[in-house]
């Protein structure tokens, strides 16, 4: 951390800052500028937690962090790509994975039929929600454990591993019984008890970026999971909230190369939520792969206009199958496979 | 709901839309425009949940909601102000309440000393966190139940009711044992299992707006709590996330009159989080009262530069006491009391 | 400026950075941290302009600015409040000024009638647009010079000084002939040729913050005007663009105390644009005054439902007159006058 | 337009709305819902301009637009792709164009050397700024007409057409003398006098989306230019401003397929500004092409660490040459050429 003293800070004020730094167990390094004095804090500034209280001492103009607040998630700390096993592939390696399925599990038939269709088209894993976070208490809330059972049955039929959301710490053990990958949804990215429970479970986790969270906050959330020794973790960019309202979210394409550069974790893109409209999903999916995504997760429904959620952003199986072919060509153009 | 057909939609496409509407159990009302046909949906469109799937039918350009997605929280449904009892006052009535205390409970002495100081200055209730949501796993996470016990002791000493945060459904019963008001933090505004647990508890709730949630989403979150028959509910504007980085958040002052107009629930402002810097808390607090807030919640610390969290936005007791006097003058200028 | 070297930067890389700093004519100050080396740049970093090119040198992780990029607009440079004369008052002194009038000048009768009404109610100055920035080429674009003549006539009748917008450098001389205060609209906050022309004019300027500009960028825009020796300048907060769509803009209330703290220039609030709906203008106006605004600018129309622009956010004269009374009470509660 | 009456609006209020609609010269179409009455406005609602004043009539809850506010820019009005000639190619046809060069023209040698390098690497046109919009008055402002002369010389040497920015209406004739394509920068997207001057010039225009403007506002700005009969127009997505600060802007990838779907105009992507860091330019550029962009514009500098502006986001010629090869592969994977 660096402490910028106000122009005209007194020697007494400067000494007080130094004393405070040493009190926390760090060393201070003085640098007399022309306009103002700057004090460098030598040592692990994570000791400050988020207590940026040096800024409150008299004569301090402001403080600036030097090192990132996360460590385990950083490439600096872990230079090699982390590879996460999924259905025989390694997410983060050369092959780009495709996770597909309906937003919600609506019935036994629906999920099995969809599972077969996406497998046929080349999906690596099956997605489907049994517990649904819904803005409205009047919306379909998911089938719960019944939905998990249907997912397990769909896995039996197709061999596809299951990616499904868990919304509360108390349900992590139950969902782990059925799911291959725990999805932590965007609205729960900073649900810290849930992050801790997912970390402790040692289960594979797909962590979605919150719609209003920075990439740094996403990596801090990942840090929670990693801090439990669980590194079977994938990050997911699914669009952020901005002033633009024509699309459901704004796909932060930049997040793909940035997260790959700053972290060793695999990065998955969710073009369905990132656009909110099926007609733009293909363009966003191909863009994500061109930008270096390790996989895509997308919504596929046999009959979108009857979907109980997210129908507007769901692809029909035949459109999905066509898109897989197009994505494969793009993957090959950037020296990946699908 | 209104369905806008594309210019040049066919009679067959129009009939398909009408058929779908009737299938859901609603009535369709046709209106032939010059450029395009518009179909009004007659009946309770909440039946759609968020299934905006009519938009997927051939020939449909887009659909538009007519009624609000929330009901119990709306003034249309409940015209009279809801009054929430707190320490002998009615939040939402003429008196503007002041909830004050440290961000975190750090020790028995700290919370009792602070409680006495804020009571002395005229606070209505004591705030203090025992369970802390922290971006970093390396930051102080709160004292947990020990913190709740200190809060209860502070209440015994001062008579001030306790406002404290609960972060997971499983802890709602425990926190209810100690707290007078359950605070649902901004990051949990859409933690639906937590909203349901808080609703079921029938305990008084302070629901904070998420940093990236619209006022409508806040009212939908309130709807979750109200749908359990729990209307001892206060809304809280605490600043939203925008591109402006000089302040910690952007205080959405407009939310105060808008929420008062659209809903019957009391509205509290949190100038500490809305600004993130103690030197601006006073201006924001007075503004909130001038705009019609029913109360303010603010952070007060005996020794901000040693606070374990949010020191930068915490007021010293003497500054807080002075601010209460200033807020009172503004309250009187808008025909309220403090 | 501070240069953060990567952990493991080589001595050679460090020397190259130092060499580059000296080449620009500044001094380098080395500070060896535990994790990494930090190089402080001693001297006026404004020499860098925005050329943050040190960040490109090998071994550099990133650079951080120390001093603000603006100078003339800063309180550090000019501690005393700048007072701007307007109709016999000093904007920035104890009296809170009220600038009122229609969005657009629509006719001779309309502007004169409105001018009389707002004067009667206690306005300090008359606003009205002759040149209108409109999102749509099909919207009313203003009466141009004819509108300026009507404004001048309204001034003759009422004695109120005229605040009106200028949109292009070429028209600054013409608008100066008629206007007492040149308004630079939000969409032109970074129209640098216009800022230069307004600065050169030595005319009083009301500079509106752009809907997506930070406070720092506003102060940089002010710097353009001040750099021509023109300090008859008022800043205006009129709401920023965020994800919230219920109101036209999000009123950044924080900007009022922050701009007052960082700059010596008077700060005016525009509650009409900040809310976009007349029913919320009063709450926002009173809040602005409670937060320390030096004045308000608001839209008043004799017949809002027939206004050619911004009808939805315009107050009728009787509502405006009532609001002036309410604002006066709030002003007095914060030791100001109106 | 559709007018939603409040639940419980009176017959008298409804008639008043109908009367007002007919007064404007449009027809009203009544539709009695269960909860409320809805009035459809039949006819060209553009007659309203942005005068959404129906919303002010008693008993009206709100109004909703049905048709887009733009016409000439819409695909509905002009279904076929507009092709814009540039250096023998047609922008918008199969070939993806590449516009490259420095942010600013810094010297005769610099621009000629860079022009040769980008041509060698396969660029279609040369970019370079002679007039620079700079946040700071202390930053390099460009060489002005001298810079234009150097650009013309670079064209003579390389045959590459020139894309350069114009910042004020008064300079449009001068810049047209030298430039093949007038660039309207992001900060000027709603500089309406400039849009009109560019439209009247009948010169080819590259219109950049403002950092806080919606796609709809971009199409409205395009409408200004098209309304002068000038359809030699290209749209450019260059990143928007959001809460994410790690990158200079947030690249709104969605805008590429959306603008292609809603408009007939070619869409160019600017990965340099969209990321702000050279190391991410390649990923964003390939993504843009995979998403369907008709071209890219990017910054190339012989010596980025000495660039007078935007050095951090500029590619060295050799990196640019390599990127062209990679972009070509992606273009071919989506059935385009480069």
């Amino acid at each position: 951390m660096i402490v910028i003293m106000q122009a005209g800070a007194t020697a007494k004020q400067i000494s007080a800052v130094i004393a405070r730094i040493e009190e926390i167990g760090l060393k201070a390094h003085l640098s007399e500028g022309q306009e103002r004095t700057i004090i460098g804090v030598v040592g692990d500034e994570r000791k400050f937690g988020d207590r940026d209280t040096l800024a409150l001492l008299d004569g301090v103009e402001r403080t600036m962090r030097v090192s990132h607040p996360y460590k385990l998630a950083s490439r600096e700390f872990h230079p090699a790509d982390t590879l996460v096993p999924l259905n025989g592939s390694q997410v983060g390696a050369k092959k780009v994975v495709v996770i597909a399925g309906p937003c919600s599990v609506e019935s036994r038939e629906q999920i099995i039929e969809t599972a077969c269709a996406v497998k046929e088209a080349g999906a690596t894993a099956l997605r489907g929600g049994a517990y649904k976070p819904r803005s409205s208490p009047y919306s379909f809330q998911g089938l719960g454990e019944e939905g998990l059972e249907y997912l397990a049955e769909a896995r039996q039929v197709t061999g596809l591993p299951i990616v499904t959301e868990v919304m509360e710490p108390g349900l992590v053990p139950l969902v782990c019984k059925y799911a291959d990958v725990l999805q932590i949804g965007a609205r729960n990215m900073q649900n810290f008890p849930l992050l801790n429970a997912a970390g402790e479970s040692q289960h594979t986790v797909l962590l979605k970026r919150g719609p209003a969270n920075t990439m740094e906050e996403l990596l801090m959330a990942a840090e929670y999971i990693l801090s439990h020794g669980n590194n079977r973790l994938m990050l997911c960019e699914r669009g952020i909230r901005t002033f633009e309202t024509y699309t459901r979210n704004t796909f932060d394409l930049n997040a793909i190369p940035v997260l790959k550069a700053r972290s060793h974790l695999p990065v998955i893109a969710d073009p369905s939520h990132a656009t909110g409209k099926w007609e733009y999903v293909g363009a966003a999916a191909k863009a994500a792969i061109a930008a270096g995504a390790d996989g895509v997760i997308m919504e596929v429904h046999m009959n979108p206009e009857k979907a109980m959620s997210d129908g507007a952003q769901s692809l029909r199986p035949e459109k999905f199958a066509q898109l897989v072919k197009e994505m494969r060509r793009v993957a090959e153009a950037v020296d990946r496979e699908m």
Side-chain angles (χ1 to χ4, degrees), chain A:
Chain A
M1 183 170 293
I2 287 161
V3 182
I4 315 294
M5 301 302 292
Q6 291 160 2
T10 66
K12 190 150 160 307
Q13 292 171 328
I14 292 168
S15 327
V17 171
I18 294 170
R20 179 84 180 109
I21 290 167
E22 288 166 350
E23 188 184 332
I24 294 170
L26 300 167
K27 285 219 200 58
H29 182 291
L30 213 64
S31 153
E32 313 273 358
Q34 185 173 287
E35 280 192 4
R36 42 168 75 61
T37 294
I38 288 158
I39 302 171
V41 177
V42 184
D44 178 5
E45 71 186 39
R46 276 176 283 266
K47 284 193 185 177
F48 283 96
D50 66 359
R51 290 186 296 159
D52 184 12
T53 52
L54 288 176
L56 296 170
L57 297 176
D58 294 340
V60 175
E61 182 179 300
R62 69 189 191 283
T63 62
M64 301 190 284
R65 288 192 157 280
V66 173
S67 56
H68 302 308
Y70 52 87
K71 182 175 176 183
L72 304 174
S74 71
R75 232 185 229 288
E76 227 168 23
F77 173 79
H78 184 304
D81 286 334
T82 286
L83 304 182
V84 176
L86 183 72
N87 192 17
S89 345
Q90 298 283 322
V91 187
K94 193 171 186 191
K95 186 175 173 203
V96 177
V97 298
V98 180
I99 303 166
C103 175
S104 305
V105 179
E106 296 169 9
S107 73
R108 185 176 170 287
E109 297 57 41
Q110 172 244 16
I111 192 63
I112 291 174
E113 189 184 11
T114 315
C116 295
V118 300
K119 182 181 187 177
E120 168 76 24
T124 318
L126 176 67
R127 63 151 291 154
Y131 297 93
K132 300 300 306 171
R134 308 303 297 275
S135 303
S136 166
Y138 310 119
S139 299
F140 174 63
Q141 307 277 319
L143 296 179
E145 185 162 7
E146 182 188 356
L148 294 174
E149 283 160 0
Y150 297 152
L151 283 164
E153 205 174 333
R155 173 176 47 202
Q156 226 163 11
V157 174
T158 59
L160 293 178
I162 302 303
V163 180
T164 195
E165 178 160 1
V166 59
M167 284 166 63
E168 48 188 309
L171 288 178
V172 167
L174 176 69
V175 177
C176 286
K177 268 180 48 197
Y178 295 91
D180 299 277
V181 179
L182 298 179
Q183 177 179 313
I184 294 184
R187 284 179 277 207
N188 282 316
M189 191 200 91
Q190 291 190 316
N191 182 336
F192 302 113
L194 183 61
L195 296 176
N196 283 323
E200 286 159 11
S201 75
Q202 302 302 324
H203 222 70
T204 302
V205 177
L206 176 76
L207 176 64
K208 290 190 151 192
R209 177 184 182 182
N213 291 109
T214 60
M215 299 181 221
E216 182 167 289
E217 289 168 333
L218 172 58
L219 293 172
M220 294 302 297
E223 194 86 1
Y224 265 89
I225 293 167
L226 295 167
S227 68
H228 294 278
N230 182 359
N231 62 1
R232 313 177 101 215
L233 178 56
M234 299 175 263
L235 305 175
C236 180
E237 161 61 31
R238 44 76 73 197
I240 60 174
R241 174 164 272 184
T242 70
F243 61 82
E244 177 59 70
T245 55
Y246 184 75
T247 47
R248 181 177 179 181
N249 290 293
T250 295
F251 182 25
D252 184 2
L253 189 278
N254 293 346
I256 295 168
V258 170
L259 291 171
K260 294 294 292 177
R262 297 176 80 188
S263 178
H264 50 87
L265 296 167
V267 176
I268 307 296
D270 177 345
S272 305
H273 287 85
T275 59
K277 299 187 177 173
W278 70 267
E279 56 266 58
Y280 305 123
V281 167
K286 287 181 277 186
I289 293 167
D294 297 306
V296 290
I297 180 167
M298 52 180 69
E299 294 183 342
V300 175
H301 198 282
M302 306 307 294
N303 204 349
E305 68 277 10
K306 301 209 170 175
M308 297 176 86
S309 55
D310 284 357
Q313 69 193 38
S314 299
L315 295 173
R316 296 175 198 285
E318 56 277 18
K319 284 205 162 64
F320 171 68
Q322 169 57 28
L323 177 56
V324 172
K325 292 195 187 70
E326 297 175 15
M327 291 192 291
R328 184 172 292 120
R329 290 179 62 193
V330 174
E332 287 161 359
V334 292
D335 299 319
R336 303 289 290 263
E337 312 166 337
M338 182 171 287

